[in-house]
Amino acid sequence: MLDLRHLRSLVAIADTGKLATAAERVHLSQSALSHQIRGLEEHHGLPLFERTPQGLRFLPAGERLLALARTVLAEVQAAERDLQQLNGQATGELRIALECHTCFDWLMPVMHRFRQRWPGVEVDLVAGFHADPIALLKEGRADLVIGTPPKTQRPWHVLPLFRFEILAVLANDHPLRHKRHLNARDFAGETLITYPVPESRIDLIREVLQPAGVHVQRRTAELTVAIVQLAASRRGVAALPSWGLQNYLSHDYVQGLRIGPKGLWSELHAICPKALASRPYMQDMAEIMRSECAQLPGIEWLA
């Protein structure tokens, strides 16, 4: 028989496309999740998925149960929020700091949905660029940081979100535009356009250029659109998340090239104090982020 555990498992599989990642999401072993799914299939006499090179694909029976899962779980969450509001647990403050400022693209819809669900929680962004966003948590100036995981997780609750590829951004007439991928030496002599953050927080410099002994001049801009415009006008090259570039690439404003034969990849995590992680509105914020991020192109889910 269906229960909430089954419904949560179906949503996790839909969001991740991978049984192993979905199992970690719902705190089961992969074999336990497989057994759970087989039980559903045997009970209804229908297969729910098929395996493809891209991951698990829902079949009609699975699609129907997934639609049920999303509807029922949304209603359960709404009822839980109502009870928490009646119990006085629906007020507070949530100050968000961003390490990756391209995240503005998907964070705005997240904040909009959150405000609709939790009108009693004051949610805001910590303005500016910060050399050490985790320090904002330590100093009590932020409640949630979205960025790379801290070196030590002991005082924090860390929610893995997704990994993504970073692409080199070049003008349409750049001499390197026809290469299959760029290597460290290709950046020699170029001006690198970045956000105004320390070099230690720029993946291209830290992971690719410094190990190869390549040094570049930097020019900074605070807005993604400004970085792309500078690259488009041959003022330099940039390196930005692939999901943040899709709109510019689809309109042929710039070229996006892989960095290295296997690509340059990074990860996003949501980090907050452990005491705050147990609050109902913080748990719901995590669910909203996962829901919104599921729509981003080219990401790979982290368990």
Side-chain angles (χ1 to χ4, degrees), residues 73-84:
L73 291 178
E75 289 297 319
V76 169
Q77 292 166 358
E80 289 177 342
R81 287 195 301 273
D82 291 342
L83 293 175
Q84 289 152 5

Side-chain angles (χ1 to χ4, degrees), residues 182-301:
L182 301 185
N183 57 45
R185 293 297 169 187
D186 290 322
F187 290 91
E190 295 282 355
T191 296
L192 183 62
I193 308 162
T194 74
Y195 296 112
V197 298
E199 290 190 355
S200 60
R201 285 178 48 201
I202 299 174
D203 296 86
L204 174 62
I205 294 178
R206 185 183 66 250
E207 303 294 334
V208 177
L209 301 184
Q210 286 183 344
V214 174
H215 302 279
V216 294
Q217 292 186 334
R218 282 179 65 196
R219 176 173 181 172
T220 62
E222 295 194 358
L223 300 177
T224 303
V225 65
I227 292 176
V228 173
Q229 179 59 41
L230 287 169
S233 58
R234 292 289 299 274
R235 305 297 179 85
V237 298
L240 293 171
S242 58
W243 49 266
L245 277 175
Q246 291 305 310
N247 185 52
Y248 303 106
L249 296 178
S250 64
H251 287 86
D252 295 323
Y253 293 145
V254 288
Q255 300 291 310
L257 294 185
R258 173 163 276 192
I259 300 170
K262 296 183 179 180
L264 173 63
W265 293 78
S266 188
E267 297 181 357
L268 273 185
H269 297 245
I271 308 110
C272 70
K274 288 185 176 180
L276 185 60
S278 61
R279 296 187 185 181
Y281 62 79
M282 180 60 80
Q283 295 175 3
D284 199 37
M285 170 60 87
E287 289 302 318
I288 294 172
M289 284 193 292
R290 283 194 178 277
S291 174
E292 288 293 332
C293 292
Q295 315 304 318
L296 297 176
I299 69 168
E300 295 182 1
W301 283 104

Side-chain angles (χ1 to χ4, degrees), residues 140-168:
R141 294 193 288 142
D143 306 298
L144 175 67
V145 167
I146 298 173
T148 54
K151 293 180 180 179
T152 174
Q153 298 188 9
R154 184 172 299 175
W156 314 116
H157 175 79
V158 180
L159 171 70
L161 293 175
F162 57 86
R163 70 191 296 260
F164 60 92
E165 187 173 5
I166 298 170
L167 297 178

